[in-house]
Amino acid sequence: MRSKASSFLACFGLAAGLFLPGALAHADENAPYALLNFSSQPNAGPDWIITLGAGVQYGPSFEGSSKTSVSVLPSDLDIRRAGEPASWGAPDDAFSFTLFEANGFSIGPAADLRSGRSRSDERRLAGIRSVPATVDAGLFLEYWLIANRLRTHIELRQAVRSKQGLVADLAADWVQPYDAFTFSIGPRLSLANGTYMRTSFSVTQADALQNTLVTPYHASAGIKSVGALASVSYQFSPAWKATLYTKYERLTGDAADSPITRRIGSPDQNIVGLNLSYSFGVKFR
């Protein structure tokens, strides 16, 4: 999931543009996406290009689960000035906005969804406290070691809900375009603080008394998982793009040793997803 803009002015530009009357389709051969021109003059190009998307994902029902489920999630929200090249983002990137960008380096705020855990996900969780879903908020840092080919990406995100902790996700991706296709592959590393690990993987005495499958366990901060992600995107038209991806993670350390993972779930976490996105432009009179 990915969203970048040169500044927060892009957000205000989008909000204003959506209330402008008229919508005349117009394709600009110099732009990588088909555009919608909000002007009565057919040759007037847009001021902003917007990408929206959604996807379906098949993966663990909760972090550490051995059972799988299907979910529908937003996948793209990208806002950029017309004429700026579209930035590449991995399917597991958080939603973000670029506040500063120079010489392959960019930084800005990031936000993402964090799934929860409940008995409805797995009946063997009976008696173990639930973990509510929440939203993460933080920042991202990105640097292209080789322009448009080798990317490094870091996200630091704190749960908006209290007592659900901080996570740091590190990624590297090799990006290879080929005609209408774009391939990517790269490693992943995730670290979490003590609050995150205790919420997701600790077992209290009360939990253990109510569920005989687990024993009391105290999880500490550290490396949460290692893995890799591979994706392939296909540009059907200037406006439409589909992305198929798979991500494998292996829970490690205290996350893997937790009775919730060992006795109820699994340290092997695999996700397969398909995203579809649409790009259009807005013009200010």
Side-chain angles (χ1 to χ4, degrees):
M1 295 180 283
R2 183 69 163 173
S3 171
K4 285 195 171 186
S6 296
S7 70
F8 281 116
L9 291 176
C11 298
F12 296 106
L14 171 60
L18 292 177
F19 289 96
L20 292 175
L24 179 64
H26 170 67
D28 181 355
E29 63 181 5
N30 296 319
Y33 296 111
L35 310 173
L36 296 181
N37 182 8
F38 283 69
S39 169
S40 60
Q41 301 180 16
N43 293 324
D47 295 319
W48 302 95
I49 297 174
I50 303 153
T51 300
L52 301 174
V56 59
Q57 184 172 279
Y58 177 75
S61 299
F62 60 89
E63 191 170 29
S65 174
S66 59
K67 290 196 171 183
T68 53
S69 58
V70 177
S71 56
V72 177
L73 300 168
S75 63
D76 290 284
L77 173 57
D78 186 71
I79 310 167
R80 62 188 177 88
R81 292 182 182 275
E84 290 183 356
S87 58
W88 182 88
D92 61 341
D93 286 355
F95 294 106
S96 60
F97 290 99
T98 298
L99 293 180
F100 174 80
E101 185 172 11
N103 301 318
F105 173 82
S106 54
I107 186 172
D112 206 355
L113 304 175
R114 187 188 295 184
S115 61
R117 183 186 71 212
S118 68
R119 184 178 177 180
S120 63
D121 298 320
E122 165 63 81
R123 62 181 179 81
R124 291 183 297 170
L125 289 170
I128 299 176
R129 70 194 188 288
S130 297
V131 178
T134 186
V135 174
D136 291 341
L139 74 145
F140 82 95
L141 300 93
E142 183 174 287
Y143 181 66
W144 288 85
L145 295 169
I146 302 176
N148 302 317
R149 287 294 185 272
L150 181 57
R151 181 195 79 147
T152 57
H153 185 87
I154 300 174
E155 292 175 7
L156 298 171
R157 304 187 315 274
Q158 169 68 43
V160 174
R161 283 180 178 269
S162 62
K163 299 182 180 180
Q164 286 191 239
L166 174 75
V167 64
D169 291 333
L170 292 76
D173 296 278
W174 179 262
V175 182
Q176 182 65 56
Y178 182 80
D179 291 337
F181 292 93
T182 301
F183 301 89
S184 76
I185 189 169
R188 297 294 188 268
L189 176 67
S190 184
L191 303 93
N193 70 354
T195 302
Y196 183 108
M197 297 292 283
R198 286 190 296 273
T199 300
S200 299
F201 299 106
S202 285
V203 176
T204 66
Q205 187 70 42
D207 293 337
L209 287 174
Q210 298 182 71
N211 189 314
T212 58
L213 292 175
V214 297
T215 54
Y217 180 77
H218 180 82
S220 300
I223 297 176
K224 178 171 68 74
S225 65
V226 296
L229 181 142
S231 73
V232 55
S233 298
Y234 183 74
Q235 195 80 43
F236 289 98
S237 71
W240 291 96
K241 182 178 74 172
T243 301
L244 177 67
Y245 63 93
T246 181
K247 181 179 182 180
Y248 170 77
E249 288 183 302
R250 174 79 179 185
L251 296 180
T252 62
D254 284 8
D257 293 337
S258 168
I260 295 173
T261 303
R262 288 189 295 106
R263 300 184 182 180
I264 297 176
S266 170
D268 297 305
Q269 308 284 282
N270 192 66
I271 295 172
V272 177
L274 177 64
N275 298 336
L276 185 65
S277 62
Y278 178 68
S279 298
F280 59 96
V282 292
K283 175 69 179 180
F284 302 113
R285 293 176 184 270

